Amino acid sequence: MGLTTQDILDTVDASRRPLAASLVALADTKLVLGNWHTTCVLNAKSLPDYSALLAMGGAAFGHARALYDYLTAFGLEYALLERGRDAGAIHSQAVLDAPPEDWQDFVVTVYLADQICWLQAERYLSHPDRTLSGLARRIGEETYFHLKYATGWAAEFARDEASARRARDALLRRYPAALAWFPGDDGHAPAQRQACAKAAQDLLDILGQGGELGERADTQVHAADAPWRRRRPLPGRLYELVRFKDLEAVP
Amino acid sequence: MSTIVSAHPIGPDKMYEVFGRLNSADILEHVGSILAPNDDLALVRARFICGRRYQELCLAPTLSFIRAAAVDTAAVETAAVETVVVKEF
């Protein structure tokens, strides 16, 4: 068994550990999100859609690397963060653990993941470290377009009842894992959960699917998934996609 | 990850004209055209295909433009032909 997230974070000064944990989780989620885009890109519905998916994947990888680079200021090693960790040490959102079941599921899941990432990143918009606040602003600028991509597709799903229902089912299935990212004992969590719920409800409204989401978080299942608590490893097949396979090429 | 298989109706793509400016002092310049089924997807595609370097992007459906030159020329030519035909009679 290799290093866990906690092992890595234990090397960070205790006063800065919560921030480092949050940023590692954010970067890891971006890493997995980028792989979601690039793995699913061949399912794009047209050439412009293909370009948009690739660009969004590229942006997610870029954010991950920028955050890993920023984390070197915490004494963490870039090579370890980017390509030196095993499945037990990658700390991405649980909402991305299961592969998409269809196109609707893909769109809904990346929407939730991007929304959660932004709710996490926006806390740093006014951080005194201008590098971090600049990173957060940059993530926000890109996220705006990523969310537009999802709402644009949701509007298309709404044209067809069966398609809209599949999207709604996917949303309801993924939503508890999305909410669990914001633990109850974090001071920011209530507002973040509320914002996450509103974003999900907005998507339901675009889909033309009525009903309230309500409090659907399965806290027993997902209690360990909050940014600095994840204990279970990344699913094996997902890790095989995510991990870098060119270790021998790294100097 | 499994292959995604999905069949669902997508609205017909519309053509959008994309304009951008590099900074607030620049005028909007035409940077391309994009096909998309709705405004949100058009905006995203314009952003990623026509360029991220623009500080501002503006889109409008191509059909919303009033094409003065093309329409007027056609109208003039048609009128001219009709006039000639009438003269021959």
Side-chain angles (χ1 to χ4, degrees):
Chain A
M1 184 69 182
L3 290 172
T4 66
T5 311
Q6 197 59 51
D7 294 333
I8 293 168
L9 292 171
D10 281 346
T11 63
V12 177
D13 180 71
S15 64
R16 305 179 78 193
R17 203 171 293 154
L19 176 59
S22 177
L23 295 179
V24 167
L26 180 58
D28 286 353
T29 299
K30 290 285 187 180
L31 179 70
V32 175
L33 193 55
N35 278 282
W36 263 62
H37 282 100
T38 51
T39 303
C40 297
V41 71
L42 291 175
N43 297 280
K45 305 304 177 193
S46 65
L47 192 56
D49 207 43
Y50 186 95
S51 303
L53 274 181
L54 273 185
M56 290 191 291
F61 286 133
H63 296 158
R65 286 177 170 159
L67 287 164
Y68 290 147
D69 188 51
Y70 178 76
L71 282 161
T72 58
F74 291 69
L76 298 173
E77 199 181 326
Y78 184 92
L80 173 71
L81 289 172
E82 192 191 41
R83 55 187 72 198
R85 292 177 292 159
D86 65 17
I90 294 179
H91 198 150
S92 57
Q93 292 167 17
V95 75
L96 293 172
D97 279 1
E101 293 179 6
D102 53 26
W103 181 245
Q104 287 82 354
D105 190 17
F106 172 79
V107 170
V108 162
T109 307
V110 296
Y111 173 83
L112 284 174
D114 264 322
Q115 191 72 54
I116 298 166
C117 282
W118 173 238
L119 288 172
Q120 204 179 335
E122 71 170 348
R123 289 172 55 177
Y124 307 120
L125 276 175
S126 53
H127 195 276
D129 184 338
R130 290 181 62 188
T131 305
L132 181 55
S133 61
L135 268 173
R137 183 177 52 77
R138 186 70 182 163
I139 289 172
E141 287 170 2
E142 293 289 339
T143 301
Y144 172 81
F145 291 96
H146 295 198
L147 297 178
K148 281 281 182 194
Y149 180 83
T151 54
W153 269 110
E156 292 307 302
F157 298 154
R159 292 173 181 274
D160 174 61
E161 179 60 27
S163 187
R165 205 176 309 118
R166 277 201 296 274
R168 181 203 60 192
D169 292 347
L171 184 65
L172 297 181
R173 197 170 54 248
R174 302 273 183 179
Y175 182 62
L179 270 192
W181 194 245
F182 308 113
D185 56 353
D186 179 350
H188 297 274
Q192 288 174 321
R193 292 165 72 91
Q194 200 173 9
C196 187
K198 182 181 179 311
Q201 189 68 51
D202 287 349
L203 201 66
L204 269 187
D205 292 344
I206 294 171
L207 289 167
Q209 299 289 308
E212 296 291 322
L213 278 165
E215 182 71 22
R216 299 179 63 95
D218 186 344
T219 48
Q220 284 195 324
V221 173
H222 297 291
D225 284 337
W228 46 93
R229 292 187 190 150
R230 181 167 179 151
R231 291 289 183 273
R232 50 191 185 72
L234 211 59
R237 291 182 64 188
L238 180 58
Y239 179 65
E240 275 307 305
L241 283 175
V242 168
R243 76 179 182 87
F244 283 90
K245 298 155 187 84
D246 58 343
L247 277 177
E248 68 280 4
V250 179
Chain B
M1 262 176 232
S2 59
T3 303
I4 301 172
V5 178
S6 176
H8 58 83
I10 304 172
D13 276 352
K14 290 184 292 187
M15 183 73 83
Y16 290 79
E17 301 301 327
V18 185
F19 301 84
R21 69 172 110 234
L22 292 172
N23 61 60
S24 58
D26 286 343
I27 58 167
L28 278 173
E29 59 177 15
H30 187 244
V31 295
S33 305
I34 210 85
L35 278 169
N38 60 47
D39 293 356
D40 278 356
L41 286 174
L43 181 67
V44 176
R45 291 174 181 182
R47 160 82 168 174
F48 293 129
I49 294 171
C50 295
R52 297 177 178 185
R53 63 201 181 101
Y54 292 98
Q55 188 195 52
E56 182 184 358
L57 282 176
C58 297
L59 282 77
T62 302
L63 288 177
S64 70
F65 285 84
I66 300 168
R67 298 175 172 245
V71 171
D72 285 352
T73 305
V76 169
E77 285 171 356
T78 306
V81 170
E82 284 173 355
T83 305
V84 170
V85 171
V86 171
K87 277 181 179 175
E88 285 179 354
F89 276 92

